[in-house]
Amino acid sequence: MTEAPLPAQAHPQAQSSALTGGQGRPRLRLATVWLAGCSGCHMSFLDLDEFLFELAEAVEIVYSPVASDTKIYPEQVDVCLVEGAVANVDNLELALTLRQRTALVISFGDCAISANVPGLRNLFSAPGRDSARTVLERGYLELADASGQLPHAPGVVPELLPRVLPLHEVIPVDLYLPGCPPSAERIRAAIAPLLLGQRPLMEGAAMLRFG
Amino acid sequence: MVALPARERPQLRCCGASGCRHAGAGPLLAALRAAAAAGGPAADDMSAGASAALQPLEVRSVGCLRLCGEGPLLAWDGPEGTRLFGGLAPAAAAALVDQVRGVASLPLAADPALAGHQLDLEQPFFRLQRPLVLEGCGIVDPECIEAALAHGSYAQLRRVLHELSPEAVREQVRRSGLRGRGGGGYPTGLKWDTVALQPPGRRYVVCNADEGDPGAFMDRSVLEGDPHRLLEGMAIAAYAVGADHGYLYVRAEYPLAIERLRLALQQARQQGLLGQGIAGSSFNLDLEVRVGAGAYVCGEETALLHSIQGQRGTPRTRPPYPAQAGLWGAPTLINNVETFAAVPVILREGGDWYAAIGSGNSRGTKVFSLSGAIRHTGLVEVPMGTSLRTVVETMGGGDPDGGAVKAVQTGGPSGGCIPAALLDTPVDFESLLALGSMMGSGGMVVIGQGTAMPEVARHFMAFSVNESCGKCVPCRAGTVQLLALLDRCLERGATAADLEALEALCAMVKATSLCGLGQAAPNPVLSTLRHFRQEYSAAPGAGR
Amino acid sequence: MSVITLQVDGRDVAVPAGSTLLQAIRAAGLSVPTLCHLDGLDPVGACRLCLVEVEGGQRLLPACASEASEGQVIRTDTAQLQGYRRMAVELFFAEGNHVCAFCVANGQCELQDVAVAVGMDHSRFPYQYPQRSVDASHRHFSLDHNRCILCTRCVRVCDQIEGAHVWDVAERGSDCRIVAGLDQPWGEVEACTSCGKCVDVCPTGALYANEDTTAEKHPHPERAHQLRRAREHQQWLR
Ligand SMILES: Cc1cc2nc3c(=O)[nH]c(=O)nc-3n(C[C@H](O)[C@H](O)[C@H](O)COP(=O)(O)O)c2cc1C
Ligand code: SF4
Ligand code: SF4
Ligand code: SF4
Ligand code: FES
Ligand code: FES
């Protein structure tokens, strides 16, 4: 029920370029982010095949695990596709940062939308015992040989959050692109209007079905 | 009711209802009987050679004497009228019996065992009551049909069977303006007509004694204190709608009520007041007790009927209403305990007489159980339209620590909270609804200054989460989400977005739930949002 | 046969007396989302998706479980109804454990369908992650409670069409769950004839044939209606 505020309010200047960018204007600054997901959504993105060339013409990819080397999320991003749920402190930090620096944030795929598969660890939270602890103990102690120990390297290995959260429970999200993964056609149908400064119409089974 | 006219031969009435039983009425009653027997013949076993020096002393166990918070309660009726005592220990029984007999060495006021235990019967709590439904409660011995008969029970049933047509009975009920006391306030006469006018065939009559609202004990008091009045009302109803079979559905948490009801049924059958050819007429009626299994939702009429039929207690879509298709598909009259218990007096005094009491579209009297942050907790019966202030402050004595009352909760988990500023509201169906609360069955919980209203809302929402039958999704899953939202508000203070979300979901659950439980579950939230909105944002970290 | 007329979203329609509002809506060439309703089974009015507005009425009515009456003016698709329906679908997803990508019913699921129909692209209500189990004790079929939406179609088809009454609902509120027999493992319930009707009519991936894996379920919700019609009208061929 925490409906995202309109991006226009969140980020007035960048927003206007996102929705009016196109011919004659500076290229749309696109980012893609990979949080707790399997990278399948990004793979599907790469399945866009020749549309990727069109895209390369129309946008500037400013941050992406598959198409850019930048390590720091840049300022003034127009559109960001976020794959994956928010499962650890690094995911959380990046989510908060990208929200501040991005006009239009898209929950990209079922994991970002509902926590989906990574969220299954939430099934193992009991009162007084969060799911992070349960899965860590299971993985690193119970199933390990006698030398097993819980990983602990602050600043190097990100700590798990007690629960895995969908993106919109952490930051306001502007558009939802479901699918596990969303098919290349669906991704294309969602992105193409953005290039023309329009909001895609997310309706019907072709655009909406989960899974 | 509690005070009786002066009488020559003294008697003691010891409250034997649940409230006082928990406060120790059992041992007190035993001690009183022992003391009465030790000093002389008790009334029950007066033998011919009894000493004339000592008056026989009757010690009766009666129903609720109203001021339950001071229990165990004991009334002493004698030549000086009635004196009322509260919180007496069994050890004080002998001293009291000596006082009654006039053989005590100290005057009453100086008797250390009794001093400080006498309660003022002239206080507004008693003075402003108008006992109709509770006419016999606290006076008759509920386990003794002779006592009930002596007090006039079944007189109207006999008269009706011999003198009035079913239509004439319904006419009186219609004229009385009586509306259902189970919460919905549906016009009783109209409901009776609906059942009576169905095509010929079998009909049933059912009494809803599932009283599940937390803090409500009006129906229990009738069941425990004057069960024959209820049976009489039900029998009259059965005659008026043409039913020859019926059920009393009582919640399992009321063992004493169940025991007394069963005894009363047996006694009534023995007296020919139930069964075949009642009171020499051609009217037959069998009534059975059915015990619930601890689900609040079984108070909802269609769920209750399923439960009687041996099915899972879940509500169903209405129409058809039970009056059209109820038990095993037959037209079924279902009314609340208090509704039925109001019937004998309506027939005795006439519908118009009853309709002259009350206000607006709410006629007659209503029983309320007062509890919470209030000085006098107990049972009151007042004319409809009496103001909340009169009930809570004048009669109830307000906050026990002398502070100001903050709000009054009516209608239990389906109702809402009315702020102190609106205490002048008359207690009637429409006025309470207009404030976002409802009459409900008559529970009135007074809330003191120290209580946070979102906590109150959360408490009731947790109740609804537990009691939802789970049939329809808005109630089953919506209340869970509402509870989570309330928890979040309480934990870190509500943001504007939280409140918006809360209101949107409340609206959805209210509008789309299948039965009254879900439809009313948001009321405690909505009414506290309406009257105490600032408290939702006031929690720590609010407005982030 | 007497006929009544009413108006659905501005269209006049005539239906046989005794028809439900849902039948009237269909007769008008329109539709409302439904989940618990299934042609051929008695209605229960539990999912609340088919609620419609009735002019002059105080409450919304479940089209599947309400009789149409003469002169009624109903609306099936107002902004208010759209909002409520979307919330109901969000509540369904949030109360269970639905991971469509790994579901036997993926692509054949009526819950997915209604999510699409009401435009539910994410749930504003946090997922509850209830602890639920899978009953794989039956030789041919399994019941995955994680995906059960408590529509009770299985309960009704087994009782009303197969006549075996294997299924019931136990507990209450969010603890509700479908139970076989006297809350036994399904495979141990002798009353079960292994006819598979419950699997046929289950709208989600909760009931499925053991040989089916992800996205392989082939439900047959039409069977309840076919059998009922066949028996009532003695017409055994389609
Ligand atoms: C959840 C729920 C619980 C109810 N509980 C009771 C109850 O305990 N006692 C009662 O008399 N009516 C209860 N009712 C109201 C009954 O459904 C019904 O309206 C009533 O018994 C009719 O009797 P009346 O017309 O005399 O009020 C409840 C309703 C709902 C929705
Ligand atoms: S509103 Fe609640 S109690 Fe009533 S039918 Fe629905 S789930 Fe059951
Ligand atoms: S039952 Fe339907 S909604 Fe649930 S996981 Fe399976 S496909 Fe998805
Ligand atoms: S198992 Fe399937 S058919 Fe049965 S109640 Fe659950 S979802 Fe409905
Ligand atoms: S229970 Fe004894 S006075 Fe009410
Ligand atoms: S389809 Fe009508 S309530 Fe479920």
Side-chain angles (χ1 to χ4, degrees):
Chain A
M1 299 288 304
T2 39
E3 211 37 287
L6 288 172
Q9 294 160 335
H11 224 358
Q13 320 87 338
Q15 166 67 14
S16 56
S17 73
L19 294 185
T20 54
Q23 308 89 334
R25 313 216 52 161
R27 287 196 299 168
L28 189 101
R29 289 165 60 79
L30 176 75
T32 78
V33 161
W34 175 17
L35 304 179
C38 69
S39 84
C41 299
H42 273 87
M43 296 303 122
S44 200
F45 180 78
L46 295 179
D47 278 347
L48 283 170
D49 300 335
E50 57 269 39
F51 179 69
L52 283 174
F53 295 106
E54 269 175 60
L55 198 62
E57 301 268 292
V59 308
E60 180 186 352
I61 300 210
V62 293
Y63 184 91
S64 169
V66 294
S68 151
D69 230 0
T70 318
K71 295 288 178 271
I72 293 172
Y73 194 88
E75 301 281 350
Q76 300 279 319
V77 177
D78 294 314
V79 175
C80 180
L81 290 162
V82 185
E83 168 188 333
V86 180
N88 64 31
V89 290
D90 279 10
N91 297 158
L92 180 60
E93 196 186 320
L94 181 50
L96 295 171
T97 306
L98 74 85
R99 177 68 273 184
Q100 281 181 347
R101 302 181 183 172
T102 314
L104 189 95
V105 174
I106 302 179
S107 268
F108 179 34
D110 287 357
C111 292
I113 290 176
S114 70
N116 207 37
V117 176
L120 285 175
R121 92 150 134 95
N122 293 349
L123 283 166
F124 300 99
S125 35
R129 207 183 141 81
D130 65 49
S131 64
R133 197 150 182 95
T134 312
V135 294
L136 286 174
E137 284 177 4
R138 178 80 179 144
Y140 287 90
L141 300 181
E142 287 165 37
L143 296 179
D145 59 23
S147 65
Q149 61 174 55
L150 292 182
H152 183 66
V156 182
V157 181
E159 296 285 314
L160 297 185
L161 297 174
R163 272 173 88 82
V164 186
L165 300 168
L167 188 62
H168 65 268
E169 284 185 31
V170 171
I171 56 166
V173 169
D174 306 309
L175 199 74
Y176 298 83
L177 180 49
C180 184
S183 66
E185 304 84 87
R186 191 182 285 177
I187 298 172
R188 180 184 170 149
I191 293 181
L194 290 175
L195 302 180
L196 305 172
Q198 290 158 1
R199 215 183 148 90
L201 195 60
M202 302 300 289
E203 265 183 22
M207 294 308 285
L208 278 190
R209 186 181 284 273
F210 295 118
Chain B
M1 54 154 184
V2 175
L4 290 181
R7 50 184 281 149
E8 226 19 73
R9 225 178 76 182
Q11 68 169 4
L12 293 178
R13 284 177 287 142
C14 187
C15 173
S18 286
C20 287
R21 281 203 167 186
H22 287 300
L28 177 63
L29 180 66
L32 287 167
R33 288 200 162 133
D44 346 346
D45 59 0
M46 223 191 334
S47 51
S51 156
L54 291 172
Q55 291 177 351
L57 178 56
E58 205 177 330
V59 185
R60 295 184 182 183
S61 170
V62 295
C64 177
L65 287 168
R66 315 297 194 270
L67 203 49
C68 313
E70 305 283 346
L73 251 58
L74 175 71
W76 159 15
D77 309 312
E80 262 107 287
T82 300
R83 293 183 177 97
L84 189 67
F85 298 86
L88 285 183
L96 189 96
V97 169
D98 285 351
Q99 290 289 351
V100 175
R101 294 219 162 97
V103 299
S105 47
L106 295 168
L108 179 60
D111 195 329
L114 305 173
H117 286 283
Q118 196 174 342
L119 302 170
D120 178 11
L121 274 168
E122 280 307 306
Q123 61 177 307
F125 181 85
F126 294 109
R127 218 170 14 86
L128 298 181
Q129 298 220 20
R130 180 82 196 263
L132 297 182
V133 163
L134 298 177
E135 218 175 35
C137 175
I139 295 178
V140 299
D141 179 344
E143 302 194 351
C144 171
I145 193 169
E146 288 78 14
L149 289 167
H151 199 256
S153 281
Y154 298 106
Q156 293 312 308
L157 175 63
R158 286 179 207 274
R159 186 178 72 87
V160 157
L161 293 181
H162 292 289
E163 294 175 17
L164 296 184
S165 67
E167 161 54 28
V169 175
R170 300 202 303 275
E171 159 87 18
Q172 290 306 316
V173 174
R174 274 198 306 271
R175 295 180 81 104
S176 74
L178 178 65
R179 292 168 65 180
R181 301 301 194 228
Y186 190 81
T188 306
L190 194 57
K191 199 188 268 188
W192 290 23
D193 281 345
T194 309
V195 178
L197 300 177
Q198 295 299 312
R202 181 145 223 202
R203 270 124 234 248
Y204 292 95
V205 48
V206 172
C207 174
N208 188 340
D210 197 48
E211 193 169 54
D213 286 2
F217 47 88
M218 304 75 50
D219 295 348
R220 186 183 75 194
S221 303
V222 173
L223 298 165
E224 291 179 353
D226 195 3
H228 289 291
R229 175 172 305 260
L230 169 62
L231 298 186
E232 181 182 11
M234 248 184 114
I236 294 172
Y239 173 71
V241 302
D244 65 358
H245 203 96
Y247 297 89
L248 296 121
Y249 189 92
V250 194
R251 68 192 303 225
E253 293 85 341
Y254 283 176
L256 182 63
I258 293 166
E259 187 188 310
R260 290 189 168 163
L261 210 44
R262 289 204 164 121
L263 182 65
L265 285 170
Q266 192 188 330
Q267 293 170 339
R269 282 187 206 111
Q270 273 162 7
Q271 299 271 346
L273 294 164
L274 282 179
Q276 302 292 308
I278 293 175
S281 71
S282 60
F283 175 62
N284 308 327
L285 176 66
D286 260 323
L287 295 179
E288 286 178 55
V289 173
R290 282 288 158 98
V291 178
Y296 173 72
V297 73
C298 283
E300 195 281 339
E301 56 189 21
T302 58
L304 186 149
L305 298 180
H306 285 151
S307 178
I308 290 179
Q309 292 177 175
Q311 294 160 329
R312 183 175 158 82
T314 52
R316 63 158 171 80
T317 309
R318 297 173 308 174
Y321 291 91
Q324 306 161 297
L327 283 176
W328 296 285
T332 301
L333 174 69
I334 173 161
N335 274 131
N336 166 260
V337 170
E338 200 184 323
T339 314
F340 281 131
V343 167
V345 75
I346 289 173
L347 283 148
R348 187 181 74 209
E349 309 292 339
D352 294 338
W353 176 89
Y354 188 86
I357 305 166
S359 71
N361 281 328
S362 305
R363 316 310 311 181
T365 57
K366 175 81 193 83
V367 184
F368 293 98
S369 49
L370 282 179
S371 62
I374 190 166
R375 191 176 314 227
H376 306 309
T377 58
L379 200 63
V380 299
E381 182 172 1
V382 292
M384 287 274 193
T386 306
S387 77
L388 271 174
R389 189 180 305 287
T390 305
V391 177
V392 168
E393 291 190 341
T394 314
M395 302 177 74
D399 188 281
D401 306 321
V405 166
K406 182 174 180 181
V408 181
Q409 211 281 342
T410 69
S414 313
C417 295
I418 295 164
L422 298 175
L423 277 184
D424 289 319
T425 307
V427 187
D428 59 48
F429 290 106
E430 278 72 26
S431 304
L432 293 181
L433 266 184
L435 292 180
S437 186
M438 63 186 259
M439 175 85 77
S441 55
M444 225 179 240
V445 184
V446 180
I447 294 164
Q449 292 296 339
T451 306
M453 302 311 283
E455 289 280 4
V456 175
R458 190 198 178 280
H459 168 84
F460 283 113
M461 192 55 68
F463 180 91
S464 295
V465 166
N466 279 328
E467 296 299 338
S468 161
C469 82
K471 180 171 179 173
C472 70
V473 76
C475 174
R476 176 180 75 229
T479 55
V480 169
Q481 296 288 354
L482 281 172
L483 186 63
L485 273 166
L486 286 170
D487 277 337
R488 199 158 80 189
C489 294
L490 281 163
E491 204 176 287
R492 58 156 179 65
T495 61
D498 290 337
L499 293 185
E500 208 179 295
L502 203 54
E503 279 175 330
L505 185 53
C506 279
M508 183 267 186
V509 172
K510 203 174 159 75
T512 65
S513 287
L514 191 158
C515 87
L517 194 156
Q519 289 161 11
N523 286 350
V525 180
L526 289 171
S527 84
T528 47
L529 273 174
R530 172 164 164 193
H531 299 298
F532 299 93
R533 196 177 187 88
Q534 72 292 353
E535 288 191 28
Y536 276 84
S537 336
R544 269 201 316 197
Chain C
M1 185 179 68
S2 74
V3 167
I4 54 165
T5 57
L6 61 160
Q7 207 184 68
V8 182
D9 293 339
R11 303 186 191 182
D12 290 320
V13 46
V15 288
S19 301
T20 62
L21 285 177
L22 185 60
Q23 287 165 328
I25 291 166
R26 290 174 178 167
L30 297 164
S31 71
V32 281
T34 56
L35 262 184
C36 64
H37 172 82
L38 188 66
D39 286 347
L41 304 180
D42 292 349
V44 285
C47 75
R48 317 308 280 168
L49 287 171
C50 70
L51 290 176
V52 296
E53 293 174 10
V54 181
E55 204 167 279
Q58 293 192 339
R59 296 213 61 88
L60 306 175
L61 292 184
C64 66
S66 305
E67 200 176 307
S69 54
E70 178 62 39
Q72 254 173 342
V73 176
I74 68 169
R75 273 180 287 274
T76 68
D77 202 27
T78 63
Q80 171 182 260
L81 292 172
Q82 287 168 359
Y84 291 159
R85 282 180 193 141
R86 167 161 178 164
M87 276 195 225
V89 175
E90 289 170 64
L91 289 173
F92 272 123
F93 271 89
E95 73 165 349
N97 295 308
H98 295 273
V99 182
C100 300
F102 289 85
C103 183
V104 62
N106 192 11
Q108 294 283 343
C109 171
E110 293 184 44
L111 181 59
Q112 283 182 322
D113 294 344
V114 295
V116 170
V118 304
M120 200 287 267
D121 55 7
H122 74 289
S123 169
R124 291 163 291 180
F125 307 120
Y127 281 38
Q128 298 295 299
Y129 296 99
Q131 298 286 327
R132 296 187 185 172
S133 61
V134 179
D135 181 346
S137 62
H138 195 283
R139 273 184 59 205
H140 305 296
F141 315 114
S142 293
L143 167 56
D144 182 349
H145 291 280
N146 293 290
R147 277 143 178 168
C148 172
I149 56 165
L150 293 165
C151 67
T152 70
R153 282 188 190 179
C154 54
V155 178
R156 287 174 285 151
V157 80
C158 187
D159 179 42
Q160 296 165 14
I161 307 253
E162 180 61 5
H165 199 133
V166 166
W167 301 109
D168 261 306
V169 183
E171 309 289 344
R172 66 181 182 229
S174 51
D175 293 332
C176 275
R177 69 197 154 81
I178 298 294
V179 291
L182 298 170
D183 199 0
Q184 294 155 283
W186 185 4
E188 289 173 18
V189 178
E190 286 177 17
C192 174
T193 62
S194 300
C195 72
K197 292 190 181 65
C198 56
V199 178
D200 285 340
V201 300
C202 176
T204 69
L207 284 166
Y208 56 92
N210 288 340
E211 66 268 21
D212 290 342
T213 68
T214 300
E216 289 181 352
K217 179 170 171 172
H218 294 288
H220 290 284
E222 73 289 351
R223 287 210 174 131
H225 177 59
Q226 284 169 356
L227 283 167
R228 187 127 182 183
R229 193 186 44 194
R231 289 178 191 170
E232 283 172 6
H233 302 285
Q234 304 299 310
Q235 293 168 353
W236 302 95
L237 301 171
R238 270 170 230 179

